[in-house]
Structures are given as structure tokens and as C-alpha cells.
Amino acid sequence: MTEDSQRNFRSVYYEKVGFRGVEEKKSLEILLKDDRLDIEKLCTFSQRFPLPSMYRALVWKVLLGILPPHHESHAQVMLWRKEQYGDILHALKVVRFVSEATPLVEVYLRMYQLECGKLPRSPSFPLEPEDEVFLAIAKAVEEMVEDSVDCYWIIRCFVNQLNNKYRESLPQLPKAFEQYLNLEDSRLLSHLKTCSALCKLPYDLWFKRCFAGCLPESSLQRQVVWDKVISGSCKILVFVAVEILLTFKIKVMALNSAEKITKFLENIPQDSSDAIVSKAIDLWHKHCGTPVHSA
């Protein structure tokens, strides 16, 4: 039996007897020891399992292209990233767009705008909707990542992934949401349509912001959802949205206007988020099978 098949056998066995996590962590550590990291395998792992918190930032940086696959280049590349971060920050201070008192998430936004050539003429200019999305994601990442350089690069590359790789997929998610909600609970879907709420649901909060500002910043489960998005599947967002509706079905069915339904869904009880995401991942497996990196 080869080493890979032995590892696969152990993973299945451990999962069946309830010892998930330990074997998964060992499997990831084996992948991370390769001289040249296998992006395909890292994506597949991230699709199938939650990333251990101690390795999440590293795997995200590799999958987002912040770090190259070759281990020996990581230190030098991060040095370059740090220098670039410092240069951009210095430029913003020189033109007095940011100061020491500026909140970090706003600093990250101005850095991103400068890099993209979209820096407004004045810091007092009103924010665009895309800026609000950036800030929501930035606040969420700031809760997960301590190092400011890592934080900025993860935010920057994650937002770019949403804007580029998923540019055509994200607008299709509301239709997929309707499809899967109909399969799970057609009566609930009919209620949303009767109330004219279907087109007014908080899709931007769910899909453009990847639930930043909806699931709590400290939620490990939201990080698990982002593991899936970063590794190749934005469709997981659909099943989180479906599960939110299923979880709060009784409450939603009792509301009789689009405005009330939307207001409630924008402020769901925070203590339910872990159960919602766990069930959403089960739904994802149910409808999409065993996910692979391109699911």
C-alpha cells in the first residue's frame, strides 16, 4: 500500500470513529513539508476539511498567490511584500491621506485604492459601494490575522479574487439560492415570493461580502466558509444562505413583508452561526457531492 493510500485509509477510519481533526492536521502538515507546495492538493484539502487555525494564514497566502509554491522563496517574497506595504503606506502619509490615528481597515482601503489607481481626490469623498464591501471584509480579516502586512495582502488578494475570478459567478448566486431553497423547502420559497421578498434579500451582505458583518467576526465557522471560497468554491455561500432561511423558517414565515424579512436576515442571532455553517456544509455535500478544488 502506498503512503498516499495509507493516509487516505487512515483519514476515512479516523473520521468514522469520531477523531476528526488530528489526522487532518497531520495530512496537511505532510502537504506543507513538500519542497514545492502542491496547489491542487492544498485546494482539495481546504475544500474537504477546515484548515487548522495555526496554518490558515499560510495556506491562504499560498492559495491567494501572495506566496509562491516554493518554500525557499517564502522569506524573500514576504520581505518584498513588507517593503511594498511600507512604500504604499509612506506615500499615503506624505499626501496626508492617512495618519497614525487612521483606523487600520481604512488605511488598508486607501492602500488598495492607491494601488488600483482609484484613490479619490480627498479622504472626505463619500465611499463607493465597492469600498464598503472592502471595509467589511477588511474588518473580518483583521479579527483573524494579527500581522498588519499579512492582513493587508490577504484582504487585497481576497477582494481581487472576488472581483476577478468570481466576477461572473457571484451574480449567479441569487438564482442558485432560489433553486436550492426550492429543493429544500418549496413552501418557504413560496412565502418569500408572496411577500415580494425574494428580490430584496441581503444578497450583497451574503455573497459580495461573504457574510462579513453577518456571521460574527470571531466565528471559526466563517473562517471555514472562507477556506472554501479561497480554495475555489464560492458556491458554498449559497448553502450558508439557504441554511439561514431553513434555521429561521418559523420566524421568517411569521413575517409578512419584504422589509421585515430583510431586516431580520441582516441581523440574525449571532449564537446560531456555528450550527448554521456546519449544516450548510452538509447541504453542500448533499447537493454537490464530495467537493474538489474547482467545485
Side-chain angles (χ1 to χ4, degrees), residues 54-109:
M54 64 187 298
Y55 296 122
R56 178 167 278 118
L58 171 61
V59 174
W60 281 10
K61 285 192 290 182
V62 172
L63 296 185
L64 289 170
I66 299 165
L67 287 174
H70 296 279
H71 266 296
E72 65 271 18
S73 302
H74 284 188
Q76 182 61 53
V77 169
M78 280 315 299
L79 181 60
W80 292 336
R81 299 293 190 195
K82 186 175 182 179
E83 289 175 353
Q84 186 176 348
Y85 176 96
D87 290 343
I88 300 168
L89 182 57
H90 177 70
L92 287 170
K93 289 180 177 178
V94 168
V95 297
R96 297 183 180 179
F97 239 88
V98 302
S99 68
E100 297 298 332
T102 306
L104 264 180
V105 291
E106 187 179 327
V107 172
Y108 298 147
L109 172 63

Side-chain angles (χ1 to χ4, degrees), residues 160-223:
N160 280 342
Q161 183 189 52
L162 296 174
N163 292 339
N164 298 314
K165 180 176 180 178
Y166 295 135
R167 181 174 53 189
E168 295 181 1
S169 301
L170 289 177
Q172 305 302 319
L173 297 187
K175 192 67 178 178
F177 164 79
E178 181 179 346
Q179 172 192 343
Y180 288 113
L181 183 59
N182 184 52
L183 291 173
E184 290 297 317
D185 196 319
S186 58
R187 184 164 169 262
L188 180 53
L189 178 64
S190 295
H191 176 70
L192 295 176
K193 288 181 176 179
T194 300
C195 296
S196 301
L198 192 61
C199 62
K200 298 179 181 179
L201 297 179
Y203 294 124
D204 284 357
L205 175 64
W206 292 347
F207 303 145
K208 287 187 178 180
R209 301 188 184 195
C210 299
F211 295 95
C214 180
L215 300 180
E217 272 73 10
S218 60
S219 173
L220 170 63
Q221 293 296 329
R222 189 185 56 199
Q223 297 174 37

